[in-house]
Amino acid sequence: MKIDIVSVFPEYFEVLNLSLLGKAQSKGLVEVTAHNLRDWTHDVHHSVDDTPVGGGAGMVMKPEVWSECLDELLQLEPAVIENTENIEDSADSFDTGDSCDTADSDTAPSSAGPVLIFPNPSAPLFTQQDATELSHADHLLFGCGRYEGYDARIPQYYRAQGIDVREYSIGDYVLNGGEVAVSVMLEAITRLLPGFMGNAASIVEESYTGDNALLEHRQYTKPAEWRGIKVPDVLLSGNHAKVDRFRRDEALEKTNELRPDLIEALDCAKLDKADRKTLMALGWEVSAAHPRKR
Ligand code: ADE
């Protein structure tokens, strides 16, 4: 997978040379290049932003600098949009961000070409489903906004050029720029690449993974008793079926307590008898397509 990142702080991404992502780069699984947006400016001040049209606080990133950069990285010729009425703008083309719709959770991005991704606090939430989908792409290009964000015509223009453009928020809070958000998305995506993790099974068992996503059960290691606190007996029993059931019930209980929205999204047809019993004991009705609180 080839990953380009455009930022006014490309040094920020030096951390990507560490840890597992660093190893994945050495192994040739992924090639990450961070570019400085200011390299595509022509003025003495290397300016990338300007005041907002229509007034307001802060500065907005200029489309001309971004387009020179993105055209080069996407190998596109500059074009002029003749009829702007029929092209999607970013708001229309946002997906619903519905992380519970897992029907096509493991499909490739809509086009086989590069995927252009802009972190944006006013976009749909980035989910595990998006990470899975993007892990199948050959080329990801992240554009980090700063200040009050980037000119809205940038994603609009590249969509009109047939590029798969995504805008994602990583959470309901505002950061100073897209760099942290890109690091988060990049880690979530690249760790899903085959050969990236030492133990592929650990991905399968994680929270937010699979059809019927639940929060993960608690984990313990040795010693069996530490500072007076014992690990649950069943985990020491050696009875794998019992251990699996205990963990599954714990995942259901934890999800019920912390993320009931994930319980509501479960597909009842995929729950086994014991799951249903646990959910019913937690106050859920499980006879319809999805659980409903009684
Ligand atoms: N830029 C600033 N805040 C952000 C957020 N929460 N998610 C993505 N990009 C951002």
Side-chain angles (χ1 to χ4, degrees):
M1 176 186 276
K2 180 170 152 57
I3 298 175
D4 288 297
I5 307 167
V6 181
S7 162
V8 288
F9 296 116
E11 316 80 40
Y12 184 91
F13 295 98
E14 279 165 21
V15 289
L16 300 181
N17 295 325
L18 303 174
S19 184
L20 282 177
L21 188 51
K23 269 196 201 147
Q25 291 192 71
S26 317
K27 283 198 268 181
L29 278 179
V30 47
E31 182 195 323
V32 185
T33 315
H35 307 268
N36 192 337
L37 180 65
R38 296 192 199 277
D39 290 347
W40 282 271
T41 57
H42 301 289
D43 62 318
V44 281
H45 301 294
H46 301 290
S47 41
V48 293
D49 57 344
D50 209 334
T51 52
V53 174
M59 301 290 270
V60 178
M61 293 185 113
K62 291 148 73 78
E64 309 95 306
V65 182
W66 273 103
S67 60
E68 283 204 31
C69 165
L70 296 176
D71 285 352
E72 185 177 325
L73 297 178
L74 294 167
Q75 299 180 333
L76 293 176
E77 289 299 325
V80 174
I81 310 272
E82 300 290 350
N83 177 3
T84 53
E85 269 171 24
N86 295 328
I87 64 170
E88 283 181 357
D89 75 8
S90 50
D92 289 341
S93 58
F94 280 157
D95 63 32
T96 57
D98 183 355
S99 58
C100 302
D101 177 9
T102 52
D104 56 357
S105 64
D106 210 19
T107 55
S110 55
S111 63
V115 184
L116 177 55
I117 302 164
F118 292 102
N120 182 337
S122 307
L125 277 183
F126 180 76
T127 65
Q128 187 66 30
Q129 187 187 336
D130 298 308
T132 304
E133 199 180 311
L134 291 167
S135 71
H136 297 288
D138 293 331
H139 183 192
L140 302 179
L141 172 44
F142 290 95
C144 302
R146 277 263 146 191
Y147 321 114
E148 288 306 305
Y150 44 85
D151 190 299
R153 290 167 295 179
I154 303 169
Q156 190 183 7
Y157 172 86
Y158 286 96
R159 278 192 190 106
Q161 300 308 304
I163 301 289
D164 183 350
V165 182
R166 319 267 180 115
E167 292 170 284
Y168 290 115
S169 165
I170 61 156
D172 293 342
Y173 37 78
V174 179
L175 305 165
N176 285 337
E179 284 77 9
V180 171
V182 166
S183 305
V184 168
M185 290 190 266
L186 217 147
E187 182 157 320
I189 295 165
T190 53
R191 65 193 294 283
L192 300 177
L193 294 174
F196 186 96
M197 299 286 278
N199 178 5
S202 59
I203 288 181
V204 177
E205 288 166 14
E206 282 170 346
S207 301
Y208 308 117
T209 303
D211 269 0
N212 267 6
L214 295 174
L215 301 186
E216 208 184 346
H217 57 81
R218 289 180 188 84
Q219 296 281 10
Y220 304 90
T221 185
K222 292 178 266 311
E225 183 172 342
W226 169 76
R227 294 196 171 179
I229 311 171
K230 290 182 179 161
V231 303
D233 283 342
V234 59
L235 299 180
L236 303 166
S237 70
N239 182 330
H240 296 302
K242 278 196 175 163
V243 168
D244 287 350
R245 190 63 248 166
F246 174 82
R247 288 178 164 167
R248 177 79 179 166
D249 283 343
E250 196 170 64
L252 287 165
E253 283 159 19
K254 194 169 164 188
T255 311
N256 169 62
E257 191 183 328
L258 301 176
R259 292 290 305 276
D261 56 308
L262 293 179
I263 300 278
E264 279 167 10
L266 293 175
D267 179 353
C268 288
K270 290 184 178 158
L271 299 173
D272 67 20
K273 223 171 144 188
D275 289 339
R276 287 161 195 264
K277 198 172 154 208
T278 304
L279 283 173
M280 278 156 59
L282 292 168
W284 293 89
E285 170 63 58
V286 289
S287 51
H290 301 286
R292 243 179 291 148
K293 199 79 192 172
R294 276 203 304 270

